[in-house]
Amino acid sequence: MTTASLVNTAISVLRGNDTGVFTKPGPHQYPHQWNWDSALIALGLSHFDLPRAQSEIRALLSGQWQDGMLPSVVYHSIPSDYFPTPQFWQIENSPHAPRVPTTGITQPPLLATVVNIIHTRLPIPDFIREVYPALLRWHRWLHTARDADGTGLACIIHPWESGTDDSPRWLGLLAAMRPEAVPEFLRGDTRYVPAIERPNREEYERFIYLIDVFRKLKYAPAELLAHSPFLVQDILFNAILLRADEDLRTLAVSLGQPTNEIDGWLKSMRLNFNTRFWDESTGLYYDYDVRAGKPIRVNTASTFLPLFAGLPSKTQSERLVEEHLLNPNEYAPAGEVRHWVTTTARTEPTWEARRYWRGPVWIIMNWFLMEGLQRYGYDDLAEIIRQDTLDLIETAGFREYYDARDGSGCGSVDFSWSAALALELSMAPAGHSSR
Ligand code: DGY
């Protein structure tokens, strides 16, 4: 496929998933508006339709809760066969719920970064002035309502908030839960995608059990921190948050707004991130189980996310890249594995080639990785991963994720963020770096 035809096909995927108000992440599997999908979709749209990129972001912000929380999904009253239904969340029991139907949990805060990238390339000062207060309120909520220990690091309360739902890093915590009762439900996610590519029943039941706990607590933030059976500081989420705080600060400066509050968050996160997550003995970052007070010692590609936020020292970055990313037993293509980069180190017993976040290649993870590698001067390696990512898309189409062995597609077809990132990887000015 030529670059021109890849670009045209990517645009037609985004146009095909466009409802006129928001863009579905996938035509059948994900028929509503997802938070971090939407940020990447806006980035993709900005390459060919800037007004539409802005209305995508406005549509997402229309679901913001009154306390600042930006939910993982905004349903927009569009009928669908998706489960959980909007009614299942019972958000009307929270005094903070918005008027539009949404979930009661959040997702990785990528939006400020995307807004800043777009603004750097195609200045949109009026739009920045319009959305900045909502972004600030969301970040403030993350740094207060989700700060369990005064570190400034945000906690997640559900694997869905990590965006990497059934990642092996959550499996031990989910298995240790003993739900007394799980509400009746009928899964919708295996209707369009083979069960082998989706979370197992045991994990899915606990996802639903957690929602039941939260709705009984009426989504009161302090209650959730006190009682959620799942309370984690996630490396990926916090690296994205820190980078997004930096980007939010850049937006504040461009608007002449005070930065002291954001500076405080940045200071606290920079002080605590490496101490909390870095493991000197293995040269890896590990997530932290706040409820149990201990690290979650599972090696997944989230360990590379701090590179995206500029957090590792030079020595730490060298250890991440040389001991792990380039290690043919863990992440580097070798043997039957031909593509960058598996979401879990292949040394982990929970690695599975086709199951959702347990092993396949995700375009978003490759993009984070490329951005991080460039930040640390590994331009050649970033370029190898960029080429491999585009090859995967050209061969298997815009799929949700890919089997790293043969490059075949898995999950949803016509997946919007794969199309959006294909545009970013082939059209971003000055190579593909956003910094
Ligand atoms: C799903 O339905 O699988 C989503 O990831 C939950 O947000």
Side-chain angles (χ1 to χ4, degrees):
M1 213 190 280
T2 62
T3 305
S5 75
L6 182 79
V7 163
N8 288 335
T9 324
I11 291 174
S12 64
V13 166
L14 290 178
R15 292 285 194 215
N17 289 337
D18 190 347
T19 64
V21 175
F22 70 93
T23 307
K24 300 177 199 172
H28 313 293
Q29 186 79 348
Y30 304 106
H32 301 282
Q33 187 174 27
W34 266 256
N35 184 328
W36 72 333
D37 293 76
S38 193
L40 291 179
I41 287 164
L43 183 63
L45 288 168
S46 71
H47 287 288
F48 64 97
D49 189 345
L50 185 59
R52 184 66 194 82
Q54 294 172 72
S55 63
E56 186 72 23
I57 294 168
R58 280 192 194 101
L60 177 63
L61 293 176
S62 75
Q64 186 164 36
W65 284 36
Q66 282 154 38
D67 60 359
M69 199 267 278
L70 197 61
S72 60
V73 180
V74 185
Y75 287 94
H76 291 294
S77 307
I78 296 222
S80 78
D81 55 8
Y82 177 75
F83 178 82
T85 60
Q87 296 71 24
F88 190 82
W89 292 89
Q90 301 174 3
I91 63 165
E92 63 282 1
N93 293 329
S94 161
H96 303 300
R99 271 201 288 270
V100 292
T102 73
T103 60
I105 57 173
T106 193
Q107 249 190 347
L110 200 51
L111 189 59
T113 294
V114 163
V115 168
N116 188 42
I117 295 174
I118 298 175
H119 181 53
T120 310
R121 294 174 185 165
L122 306 158
I124 35 174
D126 291 344
F127 182 71
I128 301 304
R129 202 163 293 112
E130 175 190 333
V131 298
Y132 176 78
L135 292 172
L136 181 67
R137 285 191 327 111
W138 185 24
H139 284 226
R140 183 180 292 139
W141 181 86
L142 289 166
H143 284 293
T144 52
R146 286 304 180 82
D147 183 351
D149 56 6
T151 53
L153 302 168
C155 288
I156 59 168
I157 57 172
H158 194 295
W160 286 354
E161 290 198 320
S162 74
T164 62
D165 307 3
D166 71 336
S167 169
R169 54 213 181 113
W170 314 140
L171 299 181
L173 280 74
L174 291 170
M177 277 175 210
R178 293 278 167 265
E180 284 146 29
V182 180
E184 289 226 343
F185 69 94
L186 188 62
R187 273 177 86 157
D189 65 312
T190 45
R191 197 174 290 139
Y192 301 107
V193 171
I196 180 75
E197 296 171 15
R198 293 292 304 174
N200 287 319
R201 186 178 53 80
E202 294 72 21
E203 286 109 52
Y204 207 89
E205 265 181 17
R206 282 157 177 82
F207 296 158
I208 301 309
Y209 159 68
L210 285 169
I211 297 175
D212 192 39
V213 171
F214 305 157
R215 61 189 190 176
K216 285 182 180 138
L217 296 171
K218 301 186 170 42
Y219 302 100
E223 296 289 305
L224 296 176
L225 282 191
H227 302 294
S228 172
F230 183 94
L231 191 70
V232 164
Q233 286 161 344
D234 168 358
I235 324 158
L236 176 143
F237 194 102
N238 280 286
I240 290 175
L241 177 58
L242 194 139
R243 165 78 189 264
D245 280 345
E246 286 178 345
D247 291 313
L248 189 69
R249 188 183 190 285
T250 306
L251 296 175
V253 170
S254 81
L255 292 173
Q257 291 291 316
T259 60
N260 38 344
E261 185 179 13
I262 305 173
D263 288 336
W265 302 333
L266 282 166
K267 187 170 170 214
S268 173
M269 286 191 98
R270 287 202 188 107
L271 193 71
N272 293 311
F273 194 99
N274 280 309
T275 327
R276 170 65 23 114
F277 299 123
W278 177 254
D279 181 67
E280 184 60 26
S281 65
T282 54
L284 288 166
Y285 286 98
Y286 287 129
D287 307 276
Y288 189 76
D289 179 349
V290 178
R291 206 43 94 222
K294 57 174 197 214
I296 303 167
R297 300 181 69 83
V298 180
N299 179 1
T300 72
S302 305
T303 200
F304 303 120
L305 257 288
L307 297 167
F308 175 73
L311 281 156
S313 66
K314 187 162 185 305
T315 315
Q316 286 170 323
S317 71
E318 284 165 4
R319 292 197 65 188
L320 286 170
V321 173
E322 281 150 35
E323 292 176 26
H324 302 288
L325 183 59
L326 295 176
N327 182 338
N329 296 321
E330 292 186 17
Y331 293 100
E336 60 166 8
V337 169
R338 299 195 347 245
H339 296 280
W340 299 91
V341 58
T342 53
T343 32
T344 302
R346 300 190 298 274
T347 41
E348 288 292 337
T350 44
W351 186 79
E352 275 188 72
R354 294 186 75 83
R355 196 183 297 283
Y356 210 33
W357 288 96
R358 300 267 288 253
V361 177
W362 284 76
I363 306 299
I364 189 175
M365 294 303 279
N366 282 9
W367 179 67
F368 287 136
L369 193 55
M370 285 174 240
E371 291 285 313
L373 289 171
Q374 286 185 311
R375 209 167 164 164
Y376 282 81
Y378 291 99
D379 291 12
D380 293 348
L381 185 52
E383 181 54 24
I384 290 170
I385 296 175
R386 187 180 82 95
Q387 283 299 341
D388 187 44
T389 307
L390 288 171
D391 283 353
L392 267 180
I393 295 173
E394 278 168 22
T395 314
F398 299 96
R399 297 298 300 267
E400 188 179 0
Y401 39 100
Y402 301 83
D403 187 328
R405 298 168 304 182
D406 60 4
S408 59
C410 312
S412 174
V413 294
D414 292 339
F415 197 63
S416 291
W417 85 24
S418 300
L421 285 172
L423 294 176
E424 177 66 14
L425 296 183
S426 30
M427 292 172 78
H432 52 279
S433 172
S434 60
R435 293 190 69 83

